[in-house]
């Protein structure tokens, strides 16, 4: 309950709209919609893992095996908690099956303060580099800048050193 309250405060501290989570398991999808969802998530994972592998192979970082994947809501945003440790160096890799220019990403401290960092963007990929000052649950907030023509799927992983 305390985590839910923290996430709600985090969401409302930066955005006045009501928080909405991405659909983790949508109810009754048609076979075509389910196949499109699976293909979108697979493509998002491919993009996220590609950039994570590039960073870990070239700079000696370790990759978190899995983390989060799903559909971003058309309105509202998705908040993903990340357990990070002080003074470690992290690259958070976000892969998508859409244009990354349409996605806004921000990272927050355990105290719900915005971490000022500019994401690097590539085709289907977005990377945020942070070095936390405090250990604890940090948060990644993702949302779409405009309503998309089709569902947008996203995958998140990170590398650390």
């Amino acid at each position: 309950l305390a985590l839910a309250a923290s996430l709600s405060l985090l969401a409302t501290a930066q955005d006045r709209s009501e928080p909405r989570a991405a659909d983790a398991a949508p109810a009754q999808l048609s076979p075509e919609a389910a196949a499109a969802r699976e293909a979108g998530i697979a493509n998002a994972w491919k993009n996220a893992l590609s950039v994570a592998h590039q960073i870990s192979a070239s700079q000696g970082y370790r990759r978190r095996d899995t983390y989060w994947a799903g559909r971003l809501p058309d309105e509202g945003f998705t908040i993903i908690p990340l357990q990070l440790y002080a003074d470690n160096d992290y690259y958070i890799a976000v892969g998508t099956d859409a244009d990354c220019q349409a996605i806004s990403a921000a990272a927050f401290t355990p105290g719900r303060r915005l971490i000022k960092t500019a994401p690097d963007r590539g085709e289907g990929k977005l990377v945020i580099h942070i070095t936390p000052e405090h250990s604890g649950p940090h948060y990644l907030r993702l949302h779409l800048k405009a309503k998309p023509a089709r569902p947008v799927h996203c995958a998140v992983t990170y590398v650390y050193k």
Side-chain angles (χ1 to χ4, degrees), residues 37-125:
R37 181 178 192 275
E38 290 300 317
I41 289 174
N43 193 32
W45 267 123
K46 180 186 77 141
N47 288 334
L49 294 175
S50 169
V51 73
H53 176 73
Q54 288 172 357
I55 294 168
S56 62
S58 67
Q59 299 177 25
Y61 283 75
R62 288 189 234 160
R63 185 179 60 81
R64 172 81 185 242
D65 286 335
T66 59
Y67 210 71
W68 180 89
R71 179 176 171 239
L72 293 179
D74 293 342
E75 298 175 357
F77 42 86
T78 300
I79 297 175
I80 303 164
L82 304 167
Q83 182 67 34
L84 305 181
Y85 297 95
D87 300 324
N88 282 352
D89 201 28
Y90 292 91
Y91 283 94
I92 301 168
V94 178
T96 181
D97 63 345
D99 180 17
C100 277
Q101 299 300 329
I103 297 174
S104 175
F108 295 86
T109 67
R112 299 182 303 275
R113 296 192 193 283
L114 178 66
I115 298 172
K116 294 182 181 176
T117 182
D120 292 327
R121 297 172 190 273
E123 189 171 326
K125 303 168 190 170

